[in-house]
Amino acid sequence: TSVKSRLESDEGISFTEFTYQIFQSYDWLRLLQSHDCYLQLGGSDQMGNILAGQDLISRSVDKLVFGLTMPLVLAESGEKFGKSAGTPVWMNQNKTSAYTVYQYMLNQKDRDMPRMLKMFTFLPLPEIEALLRKHEAKPENRYAQEKLAEQVTLLLHGDQGLSLAQQSTRILWHNDITALSQISVEDSRAVLDQAQYVQKLYSSGITMFDFAMSIGCFRSERDALRIIAAGGFYINQVKTTNPEEVIVHGIHVLQNNLTLVRVGKKNYFIVEWFTS
């Protein structure tokens, strides 16, 4: 019915959408033949695709298979949570880091908190109700979002993943230099998986300008001087505007021999220092 209505509409239907049901049906047939897959689970919007697969299998191999649909998880706005709707959260850590999961849940809207806490956590209902009352009294503190982020990250990535996500949040959003100075090189790379990692030999007297150019922060010396002077260069989350300022151990180089460099809002560099 949905395909027919799309075909008759002014906007029409793309070839990908038109053949999606065929490919999903054939996929189930191959999974049945190769892996004895007799049950397909999906959201309620997948009912038509599942029935099409069931029909193909009954015609092709004469076997009885089953489909199970579940209500879609919707935000208050009616948008669904899922990869096709642009939701960037996967349960697999290779696809979505613990930090990304934590931040995604932390940024959910107040109005979605009652439903999401009940759906995505195992907290007792009385505890959820008490938390929501606390949240409603001071919504700016985001008590509900913090608990949601904590519980979902713990469920998906365990204690270690949660600890790393919370450390990452303190470093990147609360400028917690203490947390930054205490993490290992491996954890720093996990915190900022999009950052460029650089190893550098420490030498006394190196200026901010020379340091920035040596690790590839800028395309040209002119860009470096302009951006540093304009306040777009950060060392350990602290704005640095003097290109002649000297790198100092204990200030710019932390006790774990790391320096976190940010250019603009999103370009990060993790520098691990060595001494001769």
Side-chain angles (χ1 to χ4, degrees):
T1 304
S2 60
V3 172
K4 181 180 178 181
S5 62
R6 288 292 299 279
L7 285 171
E8 294 173 348
S9 69
D10 292 335
E11 64 180 9
I13 188 170
S14 69
F15 177 78
T16 304
E17 291 176 287
F18 183 73
T19 57
Y20 191 95
Q21 193 172 86
I22 298 171
F23 284 116
Q24 185 167 327
S25 300
Y26 185 69
D27 188 40
W28 192 7
L29 173 62
R30 289 307 303 266
L31 286 170
L32 174 67
Q33 293 171 329
S34 304
H35 301 287
D36 294 326
C37 178
Y38 284 86
L39 174 66
Q40 182 176 171
L41 287 78
S44 55
D45 61 341
Q46 295 296 304
M47 175 63 80
N49 295 338
I50 292 174
L51 287 174
Q54 189 180 48
D55 182 62
L56 175 63
I57 289 170
S58 66
R59 294 169 183 269
S60 302
V61 294
D62 193 27
K63 288 187 177 180
L64 186 62
V65 293
F66 305 90
L68 175 63
T69 63
M70 294 155 284
L72 290 172
V73 179
L74 301 175
E76 190 74 22
S77 63
E79 297 175 345
K80 70 177 182 178
F81 287 80
K83 64 183 188 300
S84 59
T87 302
V89 174
W90 296 76
M91 290 189 290
N92 186 331
Q93 185 160 347
N94 293 326
K95 289 182 174 289
T96 303
S97 68
Y99 168 73
T100 303
V101 172
Y102 188 87
Q103 283 296 314
Y104 182 79
M105 294 299 169
L106 197 61
N107 288 316
Q108 294 305 307
K109 296 176 181 177
D110 290 340
R111 63 174 181 251
D112 291 324
M113 285 303 97
R115 295 167 54 259
M116 294 186 75
L117 283 165
K118 292 170 185 176
M119 286 192 295
F120 294 142
T121 78
F122 292 101
L123 295 173
L125 287 177
E127 185 175 339
I128 291 175
E129 296 301 329
L131 175 64
L132 291 173
R133 287 193 295 271
K134 180 180 179 182
H135 177 81
E136 287 170 5
K138 290 187 176 181
E140 66 276 10
N141 290 336
R142 303 183 72 78
Y143 295 121
Q145 284 90 343
E146 283 192 357
K147 180 60 72 171
L148 176 69
E150 171 197 296
Q151 291 296 305
V152 173
T153 307
L154 183 63
L155 183 64
L156 295 181
H157 300 292
D159 290 321
Q160 185 175 358
L162 174 60
S163 176
L164 183 59
Q166 290 173 330
Q167 270 189 320
S168 305
T169 299
R170 290 197 297 272
I171 292 169
L172 298 179
W173 296 99
H174 302 294
N175 299 331
D176 190 335
I177 301 303
T178 301
L180 179 59
S181 68
Q182 293 174 346
I183 62 174
S184 65
V185 174
E186 292 75 19
D187 283 349
S188 72
R189 299 181 75 171
V191 167
L192 285 165
D193 53 1
Q194 79 276 26
Q196 296 185 50
Y197 173 71
V198 180
Q199 292 181 316
K200 187 169 178 59
L201 182 66
Y202 179 79
S203 59
S204 60
I206 185 171
T207 64
M208 291 292 175
F209 172 78
D210 291 334
F211 168 61
M213 294 304 298
S214 70
I215 64 173
C217 290
F218 303 103
R219 288 179 295 181
S220 68
E221 293 185 355
R222 186 174 181 177
D223 282 347
L225 292 171
R226 176 176 57 81
I227 293 172
I228 292 174
F233 185 70
Y234 296 78
I235 297 289
N236 300 327
Q237 299 295 71
V238 177
K239 184 186 298 184
T240 301
T241 58
N242 181 6
E244 297 303 316
E245 183 178 349
V246 174
I247 297 287
V248 177
H249 217 291
I251 299 176
H252 307 108
V253 182
L254 301 175
Q255 64 185 29
N256 52 2
N257 289 323
L258 293 179
T259 298
L260 178 64
V261 178
R262 175 162 64 92
V263 181
K265 293 183 178 180
K266 297 182 179 179
N267 297 314
Y268 285 93
F269 297 77
I270 298 169
V271 180
E272 182 183 11
W273 295 89
F274 293 92
T275 54
S276 57

